[in-house]
Amino acid sequence: MKIVAFNGSPRKGGNTASLIEHVFSELEKEGIETEMLQLGGKSIHGCIACMKCFENKDKKCIIDKDIVNDCIAKMAEADGIILASPTYFADLTPELKALIDRAGMVAIANDNLFKRKVGAAVVAVRRAGSIHAFDSINHFFTISQMIIPGSSYWNMGIGFGEGDVEKDEEGVQTMETLGQNMAWLLKKINA
């Protein structure tokens, strides 16, 4: 089994990545393979509503000058998907939103490509707005007919400077519980 995470933060080793690593630690204890891909800071084009994915049905977006098709392929191969973002003006980063819009359209156009995969949102926040970012990510999972595991709180960690989320004991515990619940769910689904 494999989980792939997409880090929407432009800070490669920042708070968002730290939160993902706490989830990964629990998954890896259960023998689940993990991979993190860096989205933030890359040039990713948004959906242009051309609907070519519905015509072509090739599990790809017609826009091929960025990493989105590689991301869609990774999502299709994985048993579970983590979408992670820092909170920018009470929402997720534009790179992650572009992935959601394009991957979502391609998935729907290709017989619900992500149906019944496990999906989890991870959000880093300085102070407020994380619930909106969390909801935005979860909307992708629900419309994609994915299964969302719960945790002990909303999947967010609080911090501003690099490494600050490590001081958020409840946030770290929430990520660890999320990893445990993802592992349990994956094992039940794949039994």
Side-chain angles (χ1 to χ4, degrees):
M1 290 177 285
K2 183 174 182 177
I3 296 282
V4 62
F6 298 90
N7 182 0
S9 175
R11 295 179 180 164
K12 190 174 182 180
N15 288 322
T16 307
S18 293
L19 294 171
I20 294 167
E21 289 296 343
H22 284 291
V23 179
F24 276 4
S25 175
E26 297 301 317
L27 291 164
E28 290 163 359
K29 286 178 191 176
E30 297 296 324
I32 297 168
E33 186 182 344
T34 61
E35 180 181 9
M36 188 185 322
L37 295 162
Q38 183 65 31
L39 276 185
K42 299 207 185 296
S43 180
I44 300 174
H45 200 288
C47 180
I48 59 172
C50 68
M51 308 306 276
K52 291 291 184 187
C53 53
F54 284 87
E55 289 177 33
N56 298 337
K57 295 190 179 292
D58 61 359
K59 300 178 184 173
K60 294 180 182 175
C61 177
I62 195 76
I63 302 169
D64 64 359
K65 302 210 181 309
D66 59 22
I67 64 168
V68 170
N69 282 327
D70 292 336
C71 294
I72 292 169
K74 294 261 185 195
M75 294 165 103
E77 293 170 6
D79 299 290
I81 300 164
I82 294 172
L83 297 180
S85 181
T87 306
Y88 286 1
F89 290 87
D91 216 335
L92 44 93
T93 60
E95 296 91 345
L96 189 59
K97 180 60 172 145
L99 175 65
I100 285 172
D101 290 350
R102 288 173 55 201
M105 288 297 281
V106 168
I108 292 167
N110 288 273
D111 299 318
N112 297 300
L113 191 56
F114 309 137
K115 184 177 184 177
R116 298 191 182 118
K117 291 182 183 287
V118 174
V122 169
V123 179
V125 63
R126 180 190 65 84
R127 186 168 179 83
S130 60
I131 297 304
H132 185 72
F134 180 70
D135 288 344
S136 293
I137 296 169
N138 282 318
H139 293 157
F140 169 76
F141 296 139
T142 58
I143 201 167
S144 298
Q145 301 181 44
M146 295 174 66
I147 303 164
I148 304 169
S151 187
S152 52
Y153 196 71
W154 294 285
N155 306 338
M156 64 178 192
I158 299 169
F160 181 64
E162 192 170 322
D164 281 354
V165 293
E166 297 299 327
K167 300 173 199 164
D168 178 12
E169 292 179 27
E170 185 177 12
V172 168
Q173 180 59 56
T174 299
M175 297 305 142
E176 291 171 352
T177 302
L178 175 62
Q180 293 161 9
N181 289 342
M182 286 186 86
W184 179 88
L185 183 56
L186 283 166
K187 288 181 177 188
K188 292 292 183 184
I189 291 170
N190 292 294

